[in-house]
Amino acid sequence: MNSQFASTFGLTAPGFPVVAGSTVQRVYDDLRKRIITIQLPPDTTLSRTELTETYEVSQTPIRDALQLLKQEGLVRIYPQSRTVVTRIDVLQIYEAHFLRVALETEVCRRLATDPDPDPSVITRARSIIKMQAAVADDADQIAIFQELDELFHQTLFAGAKRSSLHQLIRERSGHLERIRRLHLPEKGKIVSILDGHHAIIDAIAARNEQGAVDAIREHLSQTVAKVEDLRKEFPDYFV
């Protein structure tokens, strides 16, 4: 996640130890972003020597960052040889989606029924939606739109005081995030995301428990429903 967005809302990058100015975190965040936005497509070979030059760091933080990406299933490390960006694994997509639906449904339910709701959660979420809308028509800003999308969901988890569960989702969602990126350019997809975010927040703000649950389920189902179409369109990206 872009640290500027995170700091704006008092949030830290999920799935990573909070270490101020961590070189490992900087390298990890950037490499992960480049992988999930397909700037580094599946089967791309990552040279540690080239990475040390790109990030102007020693081999150690590069090694540690790659190990974190390996844990997420985003790279495969061949000892004494090379590191390769993995292909997208459909089974991991479905598992990550199952996890997201289970956890985010409960988060939205709790936010909608909280006896002492924090109004700043709604304010933050609506601000993120406005930021997304501001870049929605700019094809060069898709990566930023995607980061804001993740920040929107992180805000809901933080509001329900379940931020660690969002970290768990992120650690399991690298493959899912890549197909979300492939799906974004489809006509009407960005508008659909914005409509979904509005529906979720409107239901939570209205204390409409069932409406919030229905809205988040509908929102999370759209990209997964396109998995087979995307696999046919990008056969070299999938296992």
Side-chain angles (χ1 to χ4, degrees), residues 11-237:
L11 301 169
T12 56
F16 201 95
V18 180
V19 181
S22 166
T23 300
V24 176
Q25 180 170 359
R26 176 174 64 85
V27 174
Y28 161 80
D29 283 344
D30 190 67
L31 279 174
R32 187 180 191 280
K33 181 175 72 172
R34 292 167 65 193
I35 291 172
I36 67 172
T37 59
I38 318 297
Q39 294 176 47
L40 293 172
D43 293 337
T44 298
T45 297
L46 304 177
S47 163
R48 292 195 183 188
T49 300
E50 292 178 2
L51 292 175
T52 59
E53 295 173 355
T54 298
Y55 293 105
E56 300 181 336
V57 297
S58 68
Q59 287 273 350
T60 300
I62 296 297
R63 180 199 63 205
D64 292 347
L66 291 175
Q67 284 294 330
L68 289 169
L69 293 169
K70 177 186 176 182
Q71 291 173 21
E72 291 188 48
L74 293 176
V75 302
R76 181 172 291 109
I77 298 175
Y78 297 89
Q80 310 303 321
S81 177
R82 68 196 190 282
T83 299
V84 178
V85 177
T86 58
R87 290 194 173 199
I88 300 171
D89 187 318
V90 173
L91 178 59
Q92 291 195 44
I93 290 171
Y94 288 130
E95 288 181 349
H97 176 253
F98 185 93
L99 181 63
R100 287 197 75 144
V101 170
L103 293 178
E104 296 205 40
T105 296
E106 186 60 27
V107 163
C108 288
R109 187 192 309 278
R110 291 195 176 205
L111 289 173
T113 59
D114 189 340
D116 185 25
D118 180 357
S120 70
V121 176
I122 302 298
T123 301
R124 289 184 180 189
R126 292 199 192 283
S127 295
I128 294 168
I129 296 172
K130 289 179 181 178
M131 293 168 70
Q132 284 188 288
V135 301
D137 295 328
D138 188 344
D140 294 331
Q141 302 298 323
I142 285 182
I144 291 177
F145 184 93
Q146 188 173 3
E147 289 183 25
L148 288 166
D149 184 81
E150 194 61 30
L151 185 56
F152 173 86
H153 291 273
Q154 185 180 359
T155 297
L156 300 184
F157 277 87
K161 298 180 176 57
R162 295 294 184 272
S163 291
S164 63
L165 293 181
H166 184 269
Q167 294 174 13
L168 173 63
I169 286 177
R170 187 181 191 241
E171 291 165 2
R172 302 292 182 87
S173 295
H175 294 270
L176 177 59
E177 288 184 50
R178 287 194 283 178
I179 67 159
R180 288 168 64 193
R181 175 61 181 83
L182 293 175
H183 191 201
L184 269 178
E186 181 178 296
K187 184 177 180 181
K189 174 57 179 174
I190 285 181
V191 171
S192 176
I193 290 173
L194 292 172
D195 288 346
H197 286 180
H198 279 297
I200 293 163
I201 290 304
D202 287 348
I204 291 172
R207 318 290 289 158
N208 181 350
E209 177 183 353
Q210 190 58 50
V213 168
D214 291 344
I216 191 65
R217 285 183 175 274
E218 171 64 21
H219 179 65
L220 294 177
S221 69
Q222 295 176 20
T223 292
V224 169
K226 292 285 187 177
V227 167
E228 293 306 319
D229 291 340
L230 291 167
R231 179 151 62 172
K232 290 176 183 177
E233 186 176 354
F234 303 96
D236 293 339
Y237 284 4

